[in-house]
Amino acid sequence: MSDDTAGLATAERGLKGAGEALASFDEPDAGWIRRLQGFLHQYPTSIPFIVLLFGVIIFTIAAPDRFFAPFNFSLVLQQVTIIAVLGVAQTLVILTAGIDLSVGAIMILCSVVMGRTAVVYGVPVIIAFPLGLLCGLACGVVNGLIVTMLRLPPFIVTLGTWSIFGALNVWYSQSETIRQQDMQASAPFLQWTGTIIKPYDFFSRTLGLDWTFLKGWVLTYGSLLMLVLAVLIWYVLNRTPFGRHVYATGDDPDSAMLAGINANRTLIAVYGLAGLICAIAAWVLIGRIGGVSPQAGQTANLDSITAVVIGGTSLFGGRGSIVGTLIGALIVGVFRNGLALSGLELLWQDFAVGVLIIVAVTIDQWIRRISA
Amino acid sequence: MGSRWNIVKAAVAGLAFCGAMASASYAADTVGLITKTETNPFFVKMREGAQAKAKELGVTLITAAGKFDGDNDGQVAAIENLISAGAKGFAIVPSDSKAIVPTIKKARDAGLKVIVLDTPLDPMDAADATFATDNRKAGMLIGQWASKTLGDKAANAKIVFLDLATNQPTVDFLRDQGFMQGFGIDVKDPNKYGDEDDKRICDHEISQGDQEKGRTAMENALQKCPDVNVVYTINEPAAAGAWEALKAVGKDDGSVMIVSIDGGCPGVKNVKAGVIGATSQQYPLKMASMALEAIVSGKIPDIDPKMGFLDTGAQLITAKPVEGVKSISVEEGLKLCWG
C-alpha cells in the first residue's frame, strides 16, 4: 500500500500544486469519521484490502474445512487470473476517465487468431503467437484512434468495437472450437500459461528448502504471468513519465494539455497497451481451457470493470491503482468461491457482487468529498 | 469541415446501399430461420442446413437471431420483419418459450406457417409443429450408459452435475432429469432438479454451457466432492472445461467418468480420446432442413400426439458400448456431427 501512496504522490507531483495541500489532514478538532475519511483518501487501497480480509474471515467461519486451505486459495488465484489481467488493461483505460467495453471481445478475437493460425492453418507458433499479440495491439489502437480522432466518448466507441470485434471473432473462427488435444499436438506453447507448478516441490527440489507453509499451493504460469504483468504496469504507472501523463490526462485533460502533455498520444498509447494486455489475457485463457472456444468470455468486459471498481479505481479518472484492481479481482473470486463452497446458489453470488460494486463506488464518492 | 461532410455522405450512401440490398432479398417465396444466437455452433449448423435446403427448393431464406441466449425482443423484431416481408413461414428456436407465444400467434394469424425447433413452446401447440430432440431421452441414454458401465459400483457412485443455468430452462431440467431417470435416481418432481434426496448426488453447479465457467464449476465441485466418480455435463464445452479441472488435480486417470449431450464434432472427438465416456448426439441440420421442407410444401409430417413433437432423434455415441443401451460408434458419430 505504501507503493500506492507513492504512486499517488508522484501523480500529484505531476500536477504541481494540487497534491500536497490535499494530503494533509492535521485539523485539530477532526472527528474520527473525518480522520477515517482522511486515512482512506491517503491509502485508497486499504478499503478493498479490508473487504478482502473481511470476506476471508466470514467464509472461513461459513465453510471452515473447505475454504481456508492453501489449495483453495491457489484455486481462487487461478480462477481470477483472466479477469485480473483484463482488469489491468481496464485500469489503464479507466485511469484516463475512459472505459473499455471491448476488452473481452479483443481477448476472444486474439485467442482465436493465435489458436486458429497455429492449429488450423499450421502456421508455426513463433509467428502465430506474435500475430495474436499484434491483433490485440491493433484492436486497442483502433479504439484509441476513434476516441481521439472522432472525439467520441470511450463508452460509445468501445460499445461499437465490442460488437465489431465480436463479429470478426464469429467470422474468423466460424464458431469452431479448437480442442485441448489438437492444441497440445500442434501448439503446446499456447497452453504454457496453464502449466501447473507446485512451489513447495520447486523450492525443496532446487534449493533443498523445507518450506511447509507452501505445501498445498498449486499455481499456474498464468497466475505468475499476471503478477509479473501487474508489477510491470505498476512500475510504468508510478515510475515513468508516461504513467504520470496517464494520471494527469485522466484527472484533468485540459490542465494536462497546458502542462505540455500530448493527451491524444497518451490516450492512443493507453488503449493500444490495453489491447496488448488483452492479447496476453487470451494466452492465459487458452492455458485455462486448454483450447480455443469462440463462445467463451461473454461477460469478461463487465467482470473486468467490476474488478477495477471494487478495487477502488475511480470511474471519473485520475485515481486508482493496479494493486487495487488485483485485490478487486480477488474479492470477486473469494466471494464467488466462498459463497459456492458455503452451498449458496449462483444468484446470491451475483447479488453479493452487485452490492460490493455499489458500496465501492459510494465509498469512492465519499472519500472524494474530503477535497470539496 | 469538408472531411466531416464526406463522412456523413459516405454513411448515407452506405445506409442506402444496405437498404437496397435488404429489399432486393425480400423476394416472393421467402422463408425465415430465427435462432437464439448467431454464434453457437449448433445454430451455425442449423443455418447451414437451412441454407442448403433453401437453395435446393429455390426459395429465399432470411436468417435472424437474438443478440444473446434469452433475447426475446430481438426475436420478436425478427418475426415482425418476416410478417411485413410477406414470408411464407419460418422456423424458430425460441429464446423464451413463453414470452414469444403472442408474437407467434400474430404471425400465424397473418398466414405464416411456424415451426418451432429444438426448444418447445409453452404451450407446445402455439406453433404449427415442433421438431426437436427428445432431451429427456437424450439424458436417459447417458444415464443408462453410466449406470450399466459402473455396474455394481453404481450403487455408491458420487455424482456431480454441471447444469446450465439457475432458472432451469426446459433443456436444462429435461436433460438433467433424464440422466437421473436413466441412472436410477428417484427424481421427485420430473420438471425440476434440486429436490432429490439421493445420497449419490454430490453437487449441482452452474456451467452456463461455457468451457471456462465449466472448469470453474468443476473446480468448486471438486472442493465439495473430492471423491467424485461421475460427472454429468449439460453440453460438451462444459465437459471439456470439467476435464481441464480434473486433469489439473490428476484425476484424468480414468477414475472419473464424464457424460454429456450434443454431438458436436469437438465433443465426439473427445469421446474418441476418452475424455468423455459417452454423449447423446442431436441433429440440428436435420431439424432445419425438415422444417423448411414442411413450410415450403405446406405439408406437416404426422406427429405422435402423445409426444406432441416430431422427434428428430438422439443417438448415444460411445467407444465402449454396453448391453441393453443402443449406441453408435465414434466413427459413425463423426460422420453425423456438427460444429
Side-chain angles (χ1 to χ4, degrees), chain B residues 196-234:
Chain B
E196 301 82 12
D197 53 13
D198 196 303
K199 292 236 163 11
R200 292 173 291 181
I201 299 174
C202 199
D203 191 19
H204 282 276
E205 294 281 336
I206 297 299
S207 70
Q208 295 176 26
D210 174 274
Q211 209 166 327
E212 207 273 319
K213 294 198 170 77
R215 175 170 181 169
T216 305
M218 191 67 225
E219 283 169 347
N220 291 342
L222 275 168
Q223 292 289 84
K224 289 192 230 174
C225 323
D227 51 352
V228 54
N229 60 0
V230 179
V231 181
Y232 155 92
T233 55
I234 179 73

Side-chain angles (χ1 to χ4, degrees), chain A residues 5-355:
Chain A
T5 338
L8 208 68
T10 341
E12 287 178 346
R13 212 179 301 140
L15 282 169
K16 275 287 176 237
E20 286 79 4
L22 280 180
S24 60
F25 305 109
D26 39 12
E27 300 150 58
D29 53 346
W32 69 271
I33 293 185
R34 185 86 176 145
R35 246 178 290 148
L36 177 70
Q37 204 177 5
F39 173 79
L40 294 177
H41 187 266
Q42 224 171 338
Y43 304 101
T45 320
S46 56
I47 308 157
F49 192 73
I50 292 164
V51 174
L52 183 61
L53 269 182
F54 175 72
V56 169
I57 291 167
I58 47 172
F59 293 123
T60 304
I61 297 166
D65 45 337
R66 296 177 194 139
F67 180 79
F68 200 85
F71 178 74
N72 192 46
F73 287 160
S74 48
L75 206 57
V76 173
L77 203 62
Q78 286 179 43
Q79 290 176 350
V80 303
T81 300
I82 296 166
I83 296 307
V85 172
L86 286 180
V88 169
Q90 192 70 259
T91 309
L92 285 170
V93 175
I94 289 183
L95 280 176
T96 66
I99 197 151
D100 192 342
L101 294 173
S102 69
V103 286
I106 298 179
M107 171 178 74
I108 299 302
L109 184 60
C110 294
S111 76
V112 168
V113 166
M114 287 178 190
R116 233 178 139 71
T117 46
V119 177
V120 180
Y121 303 124
V123 174
V125 75
I126 197 159
I127 299 169
F129 178 66
L131 217 57
L133 294 181
L134 206 65
C135 166
L137 181 68
C139 290
V141 169
V142 165
N143 277 338
L145 283 174
I146 302 177
V147 166
T148 51
M149 300 292 207
L150 298 184
R151 305 204 170 187
L152 297 176
F155 183 91
I156 303 298
V157 172
T158 56
L159 186 67
T161 53
W162 173 16
S163 220
I164 292 168
F165 300 148
L168 288 177
N169 161 38
V170 175
W171 166 72
Y172 188 64
S173 69
Q174 295 167 25
S175 283
E176 277 173 17
T177 305
I178 296 170
R179 290 158 66 243
Q180 179 264 123
Q181 294 90 338
D182 299 335
M183 183 69 81
Q184 193 156 22
S186 40
F189 172 75
L190 293 178
Q191 294 176 328
W192 178 81
T193 53
T195 314
I196 284 171
I197 31 173
K198 295 182 174 160
Y200 177 78
D201 292 359
F202 174 78
F203 283 110
S204 61
R205 210 173 298 146
T206 55
L207 303 170
L209 293 165
D210 187 33
W211 284 348
T212 43
F213 67 95
L214 284 175
K215 262 188 184 165
W217 282 89
V218 178
L219 297 171
T220 59
Y221 283 123
S223 16
L224 292 188
L225 185 68
M226 165 193 87
L227 294 174
V228 170
L229 181 78
V231 170
L232 201 71
I233 299 298
W234 173 88
Y235 180 84
V236 168
L237 279 178
N238 294 290
R239 295 282 182 274
T240 66
F242 172 70
R244 255 171 277 156
H245 293 180
V246 172
Y247 276 99
T249 309
D251 203 41
D252 188 345
D254 293 334
S255 31
M257 210 93 90
L258 289 175
I261 294 169
N262 186 332
N264 280 357
R265 208 184 295 158
T266 307
L267 281 178
I268 294 170
V270 162
Y271 281 93
L273 187 56
L276 187 64
I277 296 171
C278 293
I280 293 171
W283 191 22
V284 176
L285 177 72
I286 295 175
R288 181 149 169 84
I289 64 178
V292 171
S293 164
Q295 310 283 307
Q298 304 279 356
T299 56
N301 54 349
L302 298 180
D303 292 345
S304 72
I305 295 169
T306 304
V308 173
V309 168
I310 292 181
T313 294
S314 170
L315 283 171
F316 310 100
R319 262 180 68 91
S321 71
I322 294 293
V323 183
T325 298
L326 287 193
I327 297 176
L330 277 175
I331 289 174
V332 176
V334 161
F335 271 74
R336 285 205 176 278
N337 172 274
L339 289 170
L341 294 190
S342 317
L344 240 75
E345 277 184 68
L346 186 77
L347 66 110
W348 296 114
Q349 302 174 28
D350 287 341
F351 185 94
V353 172
V355 171

Side-chain angles (χ1 to χ4, degrees), chain B residues 184-195:
Chain B
I185 290 169
D186 177 13
V187 297
K188 313 280 183 203
D189 181 349
N191 293 329
K192 70 167 188 211
Y193 57 78
D195 59 343

Side-chain angles (χ1 to χ4, degrees), chain B residues 13-329:
Chain B
L15 281 176
F17 180 70
C18 288
M21 289 286 288
S23 56
S25 65
Y26 280 13
D29 231 0
T30 300
V31 287
L33 173 71
I34 305 168
T35 51
K36 286 187 191 176
T37 66
E38 292 278 358
T39 51
N40 186 316
F42 187 81
F43 301 133
V44 172
K45 205 60 186 183
M46 206 174 245
R47 205 159 56 224
E48 271 173 31
Q51 271 154 356
K53 198 67 184 177
K55 209 169 171 190
E56 184 195 313
L57 298 171
V59 294
T60 310
L61 179 74
I62 297 176
T63 59
K67 276 193 85 66
F68 52 88
D69 200 330
D71 177 16
N72 187 56
D73 293 353
Q75 293 198 327
V76 168
I79 294 177
E80 285 166 351
N81 291 345
L82 284 167
I83 298 174
S84 71
K88 204 166 173 137
F90 60 89
I92 180 170
V93 188
S95 267
D96 186 321
S97 42
K98 281 198 185 104
I100 199 75
V101 169
T103 315
I104 295 216
K105 185 174 183 301
K106 212 159 64 176
R108 289 180 73 194
D109 289 347
L112 280 77
K113 277 248 175 306
V114 180
I115 293 181
V116 165
L117 304 179
D118 181 62
T119 312
L121 290 179
D122 187 1
M124 209 188 284
D125 60 9
D128 288 291
T130 305
F131 297 175
T133 309
D134 186 343
N135 277 305
R136 199 183 291 273
K137 189 177 129 202
M140 207 111 75
L141 285 171
I142 55 171
Q144 285 167 345
W145 181 85
S147 166
K148 291 221 163 135
T149 304
L150 285 174
D152 297 339
K153 280 193 283 177
N156 307 312
K158 284 267 177 206
I159 314 170
V160 163
F161 290 81
L162 300 190
D163 294 304
L164 183 59
T166 27
N167 63 344
Q168 303 196 8
T170 42
V171 58
D172 197 12
F173 75 74
L174 286 172
R175 290 179 181 186
D176 178 301
Q177 297 283 279
F179 170 84
M180 287 192 194
Q181 282 169 1
F183 199 86
I185 290 169
D186 177 13
V187 297
K188 313 280 183 203
D189 181 349
N191 293 329
K192 70 167 188 211
Y193 57 78
D195 59 343
E196 301 82 12
D197 53 13
D198 196 303
K199 292 236 163 11
R200 292 173 291 181
I201 299 174
C202 199
D203 191 19
H204 282 276
E205 294 281 336
I206 297 299
S207 70
Q208 295 176 26
D210 174 274
Q211 209 166 327
E212 207 273 319
K213 294 198 170 77
R215 175 170 181 169
T216 305
M218 191 67 225
E219 283 169 347
N220 291 342
L222 275 168
Q223 292 289 84
K224 289 192 230 174
C225 323
D227 51 352
V228 54
N229 60 0
V230 179
V231 181
Y232 155 92
T233 55
I234 179 73
N235 65 4
E236 287 144 8
W243 175 252
E244 288 302 307
L246 290 169
K247 210 166 62 162
V249 294
K251 282 187 177 284
D252 55 342
D253 52 358
S255 61
V256 183
M257 163 199 287
I258 303 180
V259 288
S260 195
I261 297 178
D262 252 1
C265 296
V268 178
K269 282 185 199 156
N270 275 346
V271 175
K272 192 176 185 178
V275 169
I276 298 175
T279 191
S280 284
Q281 187 169 47
Q282 44 175 353
Y283 301 101
L285 211 137
K286 191 170 153 194
M287 277 179 211
S289 62
M290 280 174 71
L292 243 62
E293 211 159 66
I295 292 166
V296 173
S297 70
K299 271 181 263 159
I300 291 181
D302 291 330
I303 289 168
D304 177 7
K306 229 170 43 195
M307 290 260 281
F309 66 93
L310 189 95
D311 183 3
T312 51
Q315 301 191 83
L316 188 75
I317 299 174
T318 181
K320 295 176 197 140
V322 291
E323 214 172 302
V325 189
K326 208 174 145 226
S327 64
I328 61 170
S329 70

